[in-house]
């Protein structure tokens, strides 16, 4: 029996979603047709697409016209960052240093290829964005030579550590610093949030937070890989990255996958409806995991006790331990976990998140992320805790070899 503790990377497709997909693919949609076609079959499928968009909007508390379908959170992030850089030539992107690579890499590409400016917000030792840095970066002092901010992007919950940001306060600080409350006012700075790791884990409130754009991904919630959404206000100017048929308000061209859209709508509805129940169930599992693992010599919780975090993510770092060896040993023991984000194509490197939080490179290379989901149980946690001491011993022996300290006692 294997123990899966990597739900932050991807979660299994929910049975209800899998059943709906099977029925749709078997002909439940009323035949194969392009939802943009004008014939009867096309109009029928187009109506189902509109229904899926409306259901998704309802679950998110937004308007249907604000929901754009994408291939996932990564594309949604890139559409906002790149689209904003193209819409405001010479503008400055303001992002936190602990963002997903989809935001950070898109911003760096915009700097290199589009001439955009880039500013990084400050974070504390828990990864919480420092609100004073928001004011400083959104409205730099006169004579600084920096271009006006064109976008602020901060993820609602970090995909590695699970830290949760106070998005409402952050947006309020942006509005205060810019001096503009509404998009039609001069100097208005839109705010985007990658909510991939937050949706279904915390109460996500697009309009209540005052956001202009928000990204989400289906495969974190029980939908299949390959579908996500960008929630974006109609008055936010984004220049498309590619051409095509101008679907999705002209921002994301391509024939829509109606089966996937319906799967996403159902998965989001279920995740939002079950959020509080799942949070209450997973919190004690995380607590047991952190207490058990934290009792081992040289094991430390990454987040301080007072940090607001999602209930499903437990993140630790270990003194003088090789994370690759640790993960391999756990894998051999039947435990699927990770060192952090799964979005680096298997490349081992220090966590940019922990480095931004002030950790040295050693601890930033010696991390373990265990993320829980709907299927997780106390038995999964206990199996991890039973396997962890031996796995950690092996990881420390490997660290001595790689660090040239084989002869140390």
């Amino acid at each position: 029996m294997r123990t899966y503790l990597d739900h932050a990377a991807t979660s299994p497709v929910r049975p209800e979603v899998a059943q709906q997909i099977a029925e749709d693919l078997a002909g439940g949609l009323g035949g194969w047709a392009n939802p943009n076609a004008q014939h009867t079959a096309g109009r029928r499928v187009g109506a189902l697409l509109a229904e899926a968009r409306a259901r998704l909007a309802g679950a998110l508390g937004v308007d249907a016209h604000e929901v754009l379908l994408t291939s996932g959170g990564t594309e949604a992030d890139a559409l906002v960052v790149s689209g904003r850089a193209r819409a405001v030539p010479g503008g400055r992107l303001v992002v936190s240093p602990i963002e997903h690579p989809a935001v950070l890499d898109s911003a760096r590409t915009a700097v290199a290829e589009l001439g955009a400016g880039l500013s990084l917000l400050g974070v504390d030792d828990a990864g919480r964005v420092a609100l004073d840095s928001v004011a400083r970066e959104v409205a730099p002092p006169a004579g600084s030579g920096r271009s006006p901010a064109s976008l602020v992007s901060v993820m609602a919950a970090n995909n590695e550590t699970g830290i949760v940001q106070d998005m409402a306060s952050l947006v309020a600080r942006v509005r205060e610093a810019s001096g503009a409350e509404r998009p039609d006012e001069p100097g208005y700075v839109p705010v985007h949030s990658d909510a991939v790791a937050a949706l279904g884990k915390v109460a996500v409130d697009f309009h209540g937070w005052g956001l202009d754009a928000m990204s989400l991904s289906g495969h974190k919630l029980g939908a299949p890989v390959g579908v996500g959404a960008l929630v974006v206000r109609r008055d936010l100017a984004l220049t498309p990255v590619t051409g095509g048929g101008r679907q999705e308000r002209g921002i994301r061209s391509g024939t829509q996958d109606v089966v996937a859209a319906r799967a996403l709508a159902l998965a989001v509805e279920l995740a939002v409806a079950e959020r509080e129940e799942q949070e209450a169930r997973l919190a004690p599992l995380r607590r047991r995991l952190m207490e058990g693992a934290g009792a081992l010599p040289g094991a430390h919780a990454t987040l301080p006790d007072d940090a607001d975090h999602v209930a499903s993510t437990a993140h630790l770092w270990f003194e003088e331990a090789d994370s690759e060896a640790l993960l391999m040993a756990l894998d051999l023991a039947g435990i699927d976990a990770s060192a952090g984000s799964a979005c680096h194509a298997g490349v081992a490197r220090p966590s940019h998140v922990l480095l931004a939080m002030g950790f040295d490179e050693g601890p930033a290379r010696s991390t373990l992320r265990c993320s829980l989901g709907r299927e997780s149980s106390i038995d999964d946690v206990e199996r991890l805790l039973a396997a962890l001491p031996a796995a950690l011993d092996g990881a420390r022996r490997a660290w001595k070899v790689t660090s040239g300290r084989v002869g140390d006692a």
Side-chain angles (χ1 to χ4, degrees), residues 380-408:
D380 295 322
V381 173
E382 296 300 338
R383 280 192 287 271
L384 168 74
L385 296 178
L388 191 54
L392 189 54
D393 285 345
R396 289 192 166 126
R397 289 194 297 271
W399 179 85
K400 289 183 177 181
V401 172
T402 58
S403 64
R405 299 181 57 180
V406 179
D408 290 1

Side-chain angles (χ1 to χ4, degrees), residues 5-10 74 77 96-104 127 154-165 194-198 201 219-220 303 310 312-315 338-344 351-354 357 368-372:
L5 296 175
D6 202 18
H7 288 267
T10 195
T74 292
D77 285 345
S96 90
I98 64 170
E99 293 303 297
H100 188 280
V103 167
L104 286 171
V154 175
M155 63 197 324
N158 187 263
N159 58 311
E160 290 193 25
T161 67
I163 189 70
V164 175
Q165 305 289 344
D194 178 332
V196 169
K201 312 295 190 304
H219 71 104
K220 314 288 186 175
L303 299 180
V310 298
S312 55
T313 297
H315 198 277
S338 68
S341 175
C343 300
H344 290 293
S351 165
H352 73 281
V353 173
L354 267 66
M357 291 163 57
L368 176 67
R369 181 187 71 179
C370 298
S371 46
L372 308 163

Side-chain angles (χ1 to χ4, degrees), residues 2-95:
R2 295 202 64 83
T3 295
Y4 187 74
L5 296 175
D6 202 18
H7 288 267
T10 195
S11 276
V13 175
R14 296 183 58 125
E16 306 95 322
V17 175
Q19 180 178 352
Q20 178 180 277
I21 292 172
E23 292 173 354
D24 285 350
L25 291 175
L29 289 183
W32 297 99
N34 188 314
N36 301 292
Q38 296 304 304
H39 48 62
T40 299
R43 292 196 302 272
R44 182 184 303 118
V45 176
L48 290 169
L49 177 64
E51 178 189 47
R53 197 186 306 275
R55 289 173 54 195
L56 184 55
L60 296 172
V62 302
D63 295 329
H65 71 264
E66 295 176 315
V67 177
L68 309 184
L69 297 167
T70 70
S71 63
T74 292
E75 185 188 22
D77 285 345
L79 287 173
V80 171
V81 176
S82 298
R84 193 63 186 159
R86 285 174 164 81
V88 186
R92 186 165 45 86
L93 304 167
V94 179
V95 305

Side-chain angles (χ1 to χ4, degrees), residues 289-290 293-294 299-302 314-318 366-370:
L289 193 159
M290 293 299 295
H300 306 275
T302 303
H315 198 277
L316 302 109
W317 69 273
F318 303 94
S366 305
T367 59
L368 176 67
R369 181 187 71 179
C370 298

